[in-house]
Amino acid sequence: MNVSETIFRRVQLAAELADELMSNSRTGMAWSGLFLSAPRRTGKSTFLREDLQPALERRGALVLVADLWKNSDVDPGDVIVDTVRQALAAHQGVVARMARAVGLERFGIGGFSFSIDRVGLGKGVALSDALAELSDRIRRPIALIIDEAQQCMATRRGNNAMFALKAARDELNFAHHGLRIIATGSDHVKLRMLLGSREAFFCATERALPVLGRDYVDWFRARHDIPDTLGPDVLERLFARAGYRPEVFESAAIAVGRQGFGGPNAWVSLERTIDELMANVHAPAMRTVDELPPIDGAIIRVMATSYEMFAGFSAETMEAYRRVMNRLAPEPSARLDYPEVERALERLVSLRLVWRSVLGLHVVEDPTFAVAMRKAGMLDVVKGTPGAKLTLVTSNKDGLSVA
Ligand SMILES: Nc1ncnc2c1ncn2[C@@H]1O[C@H](COP(=O)(O)OP(=O)(O)OP(=O)(O)O)[C@@H](O)[C@H]1O
Ligand SMILES: [Mg+2]
């Protein structure tokens, strides 16, 4: 079975976005970039790869893809640099081979001479120069897709790469054949940081990638032997219950179908199976939270109760941590200091429960996990704790500042 048979294609959505992106407009997403957000596991990467990339290619773009989550050991900044280098190498094939054949590391693009490993951040050849050369050579727009773009803000090199791309975008859109930037993320709180006034992508268009809906459900029904008792309305409701996650919905439907869907109450067993699968999604992380030291457990709980979910250090918030910690701990403690909170946040970041930007901003890694904790009653201990509504406070090596 090839991919096209196993996924529902979103041709129209891709065409609309690609048309807008590839237009010559000097405003909007064509000029400043597009940031797409959608919840975890709802099909962002699939849409980029299967629908948007081909749509952009059909409109003449050279599409480069940097997946910042593919390999968590590689700095996001390096992933972006490597993506650009690979594109250069792919379009340099002949020249590069000739250069290597004569033992030369260096080769030129249109009179501009450099070796590929000199392209990078703070290296001899800036990303914007390399991309401008590539643009002139191929005489087509370049579209750079950055999947999980918020990771750029987790490291200094990643942050530098974002500013380098901003410079490249401005130069290529102004004087060459164009650089379209398309970025995705699961958490719009984090993505919004990228779009902040002091950040690289100020003014970029932010859009929610619509979750799959009725047309996906109809497609699924047509491919499987689904009884009339599970009509499109019922399935659409159950798909929403599955958090709009195709893998949860499809595995549940296939599992229930294997036993035979049964009579008019088929939806009951399907609903139960979906609920079980959804409960399992966050079960390992919940077990981890249960086993945390009280201070770590208190911080993640307090963070998860706030809408924006930033970890703060205001006196009120510190007090909220301390109170919740004392509710969780066998031995109450009278005080809690900043270094202890910093160390706990570090542990939470390494457990991937909390995400940290290079500026020292902390956010719950997965917003759907915060919702799951609330549903499981894990946040009840925070109730009635003064200061649980957090202010946006950042900490960095130079101290604390209120944003
Ligand atoms: N259009 C679709 N039709 C059928 N299945 C889909 C579709 N889009 C995504 N899926 C399935 O849903 C699952 C998640 O898809 P994908 O990895 O694209 O989501 P994501 O939002 O990028 O996830 P993450 O938050 O982990 O980055 C995969 O198993 C994928 O095959
Ligand atoms: Mg993805």
Side-chain angles (χ1 to χ4, degrees):
M1 207 189 273
N2 67 28
V3 176
S4 62
E5 293 168 49
T6 58
I7 65 146
F8 169 70
R9 314 301 287 245
R10 302 213 258 175
V11 179
Q12 198 188 334
L13 179 62
E16 281 164 17
L17 287 174
D19 279 342
E20 215 170 321
L21 279 162
M22 299 306 289
S23 77
N24 289 324
S25 167
R26 296 215 152 193
T27 55
M29 66 172 78
W31 190 260
S32 307
L34 168 65
F35 281 69
L36 281 174
S37 61
R40 289 294 320 273
R41 309 302 297 158
T42 54
K44 297 176 295 296
S45 302
T46 304
F47 174 71
L48 291 180
R49 193 181 57 237
E50 303 298 332
D51 300 311
L52 190 60
Q53 177 170 355
L56 291 166
E57 283 167 349
R58 274 195 296 277
R59 286 160 182 76
L62 169 70
V63 181
L64 318 183
V65 182
D67 182 349
L68 305 190
W69 251 5
K70 199 166 177 184
N71 186 346
S72 54
D73 293 336
V74 183
D75 191 292
D78 293 333
V79 176
I80 289 174
V81 170
D82 279 349
T83 304
V84 174
R85 285 181 181 171
Q86 275 166 26
L88 292 170
H91 290 83
Q92 278 302 306
V94 181
V95 189
R97 263 198 303 279
M98 280 168 56
R100 263 187 250 116
V102 293
L104 282 178
E105 227 202 335
R106 288 162 160 262
F107 54 90
I109 304 178
F112 182 74
S113 173
F114 61 90
S115 71
I116 281 188
D117 56 13
R118 284 189 58 221
V119 172
L121 304 166
K123 294 247 183 177
V125 181
L127 281 192
S128 55
D129 290 338
L131 284 165
E133 290 295 333
L134 181 60
S135 170
D136 289 349
R137 185 181 164 82
I138 60 173
R139 306 188 146 274
R140 289 191 281 148
I142 298 169
L144 174 60
I145 295 179
I146 307 171
D147 201 1
E148 301 297 340
Q150 75 284 344
Q151 291 311 108
C152 269
M153 288 181 301
T155 70
R156 202 152 293 283
R157 289 178 67 70
N159 216 37
N160 291 343
M162 273 313 209
F163 280 97
L165 288 179
K166 176 186 191 273
R169 174 197 76 181
D170 293 347
E171 185 175 340
L172 267 73
N173 282 344
F174 193 70
H176 300 269
H177 298 273
L179 175 63
R180 307 303 197 240
I181 293 182
I182 299 107
T184 66
S186 317
D187 181 356
H188 105 115
V189 172
K190 290 180 202 150
L191 272 187
R192 233 178 41 199
M193 289 187 211
L194 265 178
L195 309 180
S197 57
R198 281 172 296 170
E199 300 301 337
F201 285 93
F202 182 50
C203 268
T205 304
E206 189 190 1
R207 286 261 173 101
L209 176 70
V211 289
L212 291 162
R214 179 61 162 249
D215 42 5
Y216 159 76
V217 166
D218 289 343
W219 168 86
F220 181 78
R221 286 191 86 248
R223 290 176 68 245
H224 293 86
D225 213 3
I226 308 284
D228 290 344
T229 46
L230 286 171
D233 289 342
V234 176
L235 281 196
E236 200 179 358
R237 184 180 65 74
L238 292 175
F239 180 54
R241 197 167 175 104
Y244 304 97
R245 296 177 177 216
E247 56 195 349
V248 169
F249 176 72
E250 293 184 17
S251 346
I254 289 164
V256 173
R258 223 177 273 129
Q259 322 281 331
F261 281 106
N265 283 336
W267 67 270
V268 177
S269 39
L270 185 50
E271 186 177 273
R272 193 179 329 114
T273 310
I274 286 173
D275 288 351
E276 280 164 15
L277 290 177
M278 285 302 280
N280 286 341
V281 166
H282 293 297
M286 284 188 187
R287 275 196 296 276
T288 308
V289 168
D290 273 339
E291 284 164 18
L292 290 173
I295 166 71
D296 305 36
I299 292 172
I300 182 92
R301 283 177 174 84
V302 172
M303 284 175 82
T305 51
S306 139
Y307 172 63
E308 300 270 300
M309 296 181 287
F310 292 101
F313 294 84
S314 68
E316 241 190 356
T317 306
M318 291 290 287
E319 185 53 19
Y321 296 151
R322 197 186 62 81
R323 280 172 194 268
V324 177
M325 177 180 81
N326 284 339
R327 287 178 187 173
L328 295 170
E331 300 274 321
S333 160
R335 52 183 298 280
L336 177 67
D337 57 24
Y338 290 137
E340 279 177 89
V341 173
E342 291 277 14
R343 282 195 296 276
L345 281 169
E346 216 137 277
R347 290 189 293 271
L348 290 166
V349 168
S350 60
L351 286 170
R352 293 200 157 208
L353 291 170
V354 167
W355 177 90
R356 173 173 48 205
S357 82
V358 274
L359 298 176
L361 212 54
H362 293 86
V363 187
V364 172
E365 169 76 51
D366 177 355
T368 65
F369 179 55
V371 175
M373 280 205 292
R374 186 169 62 237
K375 281 192 184 153
M378 291 172 78
L379 305 184
D380 293 351
V381 67
V382 184
K383 273 187 198 147
T385 308
K389 192 172 167 297
L390 305 184
T391 46
L392 173 50
V393 181
T394 67
S395 80
N396 57 38
K397 289 192 179 59
D398 309 321
L400 305 174
S401 63
V402 180

